[in-house]
């Protein structure tokens, strides 16, 4: 502990976007002594950046590890092993170590291999990006080894974040994040690749103008506007994710074959079965009894279109019907794997996660929308070229993940990312407004329910 106070000295190894966010918000929260480091060749640059902030940069992780009582490794999941191997043995006796990584299996292995036995492990994971407020967001706390008092210490350190603490094991963490993210990532990555390969900006066509289409476009661009490694770590290192991405491609392919073969009865049976399996809604009933939908009405969602103006009811009626193959396959995949993502929303229910899952819920709540999607899958030819590109893209992403190659993942991601780059700023603004509107509606629904 600091000699002048009873509070722990904090150390952060890795000053990427999340490391910076942690350092600055912990400092703003009143912590007096915070040591940070990045790669040694960035030391002088980091000194200039942090001058006058009260945050102290050190040359490397050895120095941070020797001086700090609570140390956070804020590095990519793919880099955690070599970084902990290098700096872990220097950890101060009795210190507590955490990792702010999105995939915990490699982190657990690295900590157990390279941290001294007289070091405790209470890991963390903020389930949001660096630009999102920490208030009310889930902060996972993983008590792996050491006394219960160390968990209380970690809680106190992050008190100023005003986050919602969720307590999991390493294994539970990776299961929950895979079940809520792996399939949704695969779906929206494949959408972006399909549109790119079609050489078409979806908001410039008459096929993606309103409601649910607006959400799909905004989510896809939000994903591609982020850094590739944010998604690569989950897909390539999470033990559960590879199986889910592979199953998603299989679901896409199987449903598409039923479409092109015109087997409407078989397609309908499979879709309705998946709906009941994942959401619990029988074929003869609309969904959502007892809980408000995550997304809003189409009229409200139209406000967030990249076209600049909402489509309106008349234009929606003229729009070509869509099979929503990506969403049908998402629910089919969850059903095949026995995944119920809504069971995890209380744990991993950040606004972005809820948006990803909510777009599937939006479609499947309504029997009319599901029936229209099935009918379009059989009879519509306007979207068929896009569906074909989507099938190819989903299989390519599945193959990429199966190889476990980060370079290949990066090339595929950045190729599509560069295609949409000019619209990222606008898409992020619209996406943030959409998320805010959804949050406000949910808060109003909660207040109304509490007042009954």
């Amino acid at each position: 502990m600091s000699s002048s106070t009873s509070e722990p000295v904090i150390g952060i190894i890795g000053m990427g976007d999340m490391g910076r966010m942690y350092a600055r918000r912990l400092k703003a929260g009143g912590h007096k002594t915070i040591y940070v480091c990045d790669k040694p060749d960035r030391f002088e640059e980091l000194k200039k950046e942090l001058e006058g902030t009260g945050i102290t940069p050190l040359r490397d992780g050895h120095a941070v590890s020797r001086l700090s009582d609570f140390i956070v490794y804020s590095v990519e999941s793919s880099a955690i092993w070599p970084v902990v191997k290098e700096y872990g043995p220097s950890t101060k006796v009795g210190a507590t170590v955490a990792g702010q990584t999105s995939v915990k299996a490699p982190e657990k292995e690295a900590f157990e291999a390279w941290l001294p036995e007289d070091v405790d492990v209470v890991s963390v994971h903020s389930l949001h990006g660096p630009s999102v407020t920490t208030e009310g967001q889930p902060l996972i706390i993983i008590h792996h080894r050491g006394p219960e008092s160390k968990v209380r210490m970690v809680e106190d350190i992050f008190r100023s974040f005003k986050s919602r603490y969720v307590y999991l094991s390493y294994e539970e963490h990776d299961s929950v994040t895979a079940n809520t993210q792996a399939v949704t990532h695969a779906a929206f990555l494949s959408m972006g690749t399909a549109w790119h390969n079609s050489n078409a900006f979806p908001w410039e066509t008459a096929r993606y103008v309103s409601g649910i289409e607006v959400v799909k476009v905004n989510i896809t661009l939000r994903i591609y506007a982020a850094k590739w490694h944010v998604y690569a770590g989950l897909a390539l290192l999470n033990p559960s994710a590879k199986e889910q991405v592979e199953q998603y491609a299989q679901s896409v392919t199987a449903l598409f074959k039923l479409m092109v073969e015109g087997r409407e009865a078989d397609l309908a049976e499979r879709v309705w079965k998946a709906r009941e399996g994942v959401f619990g809604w029988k074929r003869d009933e609309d969904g959502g009894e007892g809980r408000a939908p995550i997304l809003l009405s189409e009229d409200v969602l139209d406000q967030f279109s990249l076209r600049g103006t909402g489509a309106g009811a008349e234009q929606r009626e003229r729009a070509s019907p869509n099979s929503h193959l990506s969403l049908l396959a998402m629910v089919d995949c969850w059903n095949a794997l026995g995944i119920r993502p809504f069971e995890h929303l209380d744990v991993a229910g950040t606004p972005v996660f809820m948006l990803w899952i909510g777009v599937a819920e939006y479609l499947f709540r309504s029997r009319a929308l599901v029936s229209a999607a099935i009918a379009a899958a059989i009879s519509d030819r306007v979207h068929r070229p896009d569906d074909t590109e989507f099938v190819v893209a989903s299989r390519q992403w599945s193959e990429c993940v199966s190889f476990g190659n980060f370079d290949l993942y990066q090339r595929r991601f950045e190729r599509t990312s560069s295609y949409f780059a000019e619209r990222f700023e606008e898409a992020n603004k619209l996406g943030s407004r959409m998320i805010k509107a959804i949050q406000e509606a949910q808060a109003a629904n909660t207040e109304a329910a509490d007042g009954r």
Side-chain angles (χ1 to χ4, degrees):
M1 300 289 177
S2 170
S3 59
S4 59
T5 70
S6 60
E7 72 170 31
V9 173
I10 297 171
I12 298 174
I13 296 174
M15 285 292 282
D17 292 341
M18 288 301 290
R20 282 183 171 84
M21 185 276 283
Y22 265 38
R24 294 183 182 279
R25 295 196 182 186
L26 287 170
K27 188 64 181 179
H31 293 282
K32 294 181 174 58
T33 307
I34 302 175
Y35 295 119
V36 301
C37 74
D38 207 84
K39 296 176 181 178
D41 60 7
R42 290 201 59 240
F43 177 57
E44 295 301 328
E45 177 186 342
L46 200 60
K47 280 174 60 178
K48 292 179 181 178
E49 177 186 331
L50 297 176
E51 188 174 356
T53 64
I55 301 167
T56 305
L58 300 177
R59 188 167 295 278
D60 58 31
H62 292 296
V64 172
S65 296
R66 285 197 294 266
L67 292 171
S68 304
D69 302 302
F70 177 63
I71 302 154
V72 179
Y73 282 84
S74 184
V75 300
E76 298 171 24
S77 298
S78 59
I80 191 72
W81 180 274
V83 175
V84 178
K85 180 181 179 180
E86 175 69 21
Y87 301 131
S90 298
T91 306
K92 179 180 178 181
V93 173
T96 303
V97 176
Q100 165 51 26
T101 60
S102 57
V103 184
K104 293 302 185 184
E107 176 188 299
K108 178 184 177 183
E109 292 176 3
F111 285 172
E112 291 182 343
W114 302 113
L115 292 179
E117 292 183 2
D118 54 15
V119 169
D120 299 321
V121 176
V122 181
S123 200
V124 296
H125 182 200
S126 292
L127 293 181
H128 56 81
S131 61
V132 177
T133 178
T134 58
E135 189 168 345
Q137 302 285 2
L139 173 59
I140 307 297
I141 296 179
I142 299 171
H143 183 196
H144 184 57
R145 76 186 194 202
E148 192 70 26
S149 60
K150 293 300 187 73
V151 178
R152 305 286 85 80
M153 181 190 76
V154 172
E155 292 172 344
D156 289 340
I157 286 172
F158 288 101
R159 195 77 62 191
S160 63
F161 279 35
K162 298 181 180 179
S163 294
R164 176 168 55 86
Y165 296 149
V166 179
Y167 303 90
L168 299 174
S169 67
Y170 271 126
E171 292 73 21
E172 289 169 338
H173 170 279
D174 281 356
S175 175
V176 167
T177 53
N179 290 351
T180 54
Q181 299 178 54
V183 173
T184 49
H185 288 178
F188 293 110
L189 287 170
S190 298
M191 281 186 222
T193 298
W195 290 327
H196 176 204
N197 289 340
S198 297
N199 194 29
F201 295 114
W203 56 86
E204 293 180 353
T205 75
R207 301 196 298 277
Y208 300 94
V209 296
S210 67
I212 196 170
E213 308 292 0
V214 170
V215 181
K216 286 159 66 175
V217 170
N218 281 346
I219 293 174
T220 299
L221 265 64
R222 191 178 185 93
I223 286 176
Y224 275 105
K227 294 182 177 178
W228 67 272
H229 66 77
V230 172
Y231 304 102
L234 173 73
L236 304 183
L237 297 177
N238 189 311
S240 301
K242 288 187 179 182
E243 176 190 9
Q244 295 184 24
V245 173
E246 180 181 3
Q247 177 59 51
Y248 182 70
Q250 291 175 359
S251 290
V252 170
T253 303
L255 292 174
F256 186 70
K257 286 180 178 178
L258 294 176
M259 290 165 55
V260 297
E261 291 171 2
R263 295 164 57 186
E264 184 170 4
D266 292 336
L267 177 65
E269 181 180 358
R270 184 159 177 163
V271 170
W272 291 112
K273 180 181 178 181
R275 178 181 186 260
E276 183 173 351
V278 172
F279 299 106
W281 305 323
K282 296 187 181 300
R283 185 168 181 168
D284 61 353
E285 63 183 15
D286 279 321
E289 192 69 31
R291 67 182 297 272
I294 293 175
L295 296 189
L296 308 173
S297 70
E298 290 204 338
D299 287 331
V300 175
L301 293 174
D302 286 348
Q303 301 174 29
F304 309 109
S305 171
L306 284 169
R307 291 169 65 90
T309 58
E314 184 178 339
Q315 190 170 356
R316 282 200 299 272
E317 289 179 4
R318 294 200 307 267
S320 302
N322 191 340
S323 70
H324 295 299
L325 174 60
S326 59
L327 303 183
L328 297 185
M330 190 184 297
V331 175
D332 184 86
C333 174
W334 283 333
N335 186 54
L337 295 172
I339 293 171
R340 307 293 178 262
F342 284 85
E343 295 176 358
H344 301 304
L345 282 183
D346 288 340
V347 175
T350 67
V352 176
F353 293 171
M354 295 182 75
L355 191 62
W356 293 342
I357 294 172
V359 71
E361 181 208 33
Y362 186 92
L363 173 64
F364 278 85
R365 283 176 72 94
S366 167
R367 286 179 297 162
L369 289 179
V370 174
S371 296
I374 294 169
I378 297 299
S379 61
D380 175 60
R381 294 295 179 268
V382 174
H383 285 273
R384 188 58 56 83
D386 288 352
D387 287 341
T388 303
E389 290 286 2
F390 181 77
V391 174
V392 174
S394 68
R395 293 176 70 94
Q396 288 175 336
W397 273 109
S398 176
E399 187 176 57
C400 174
V401 169
S402 72
F403 291 152
N405 187 297
F406 279 86
D407 291 337
L408 176 60
Y409 192 105
Q410 181 180 5
R411 287 198 300 271
R412 287 190 57 80
F413 186 97
E414 291 182 343
R415 176 175 172 269
T416 296
S417 177
S418 63
Y419 180 75
F420 291 114
E422 65 183 34
R423 301 302 293 269
F424 284 160
E425 183 178 358
E426 182 182 2
N428 275 331
K429 289 179 180 178
L430 287 171
S432 295
R433 284 175 47 209
M434 183 166 61
I435 289 171
K436 182 179 179 182
I438 291 168
Q439 285 180 293
E440 290 174 348
Q442 288 175 334
N445 287 334
T446 299
E447 289 177 8
D450 292 343
R452 285 202 297 265

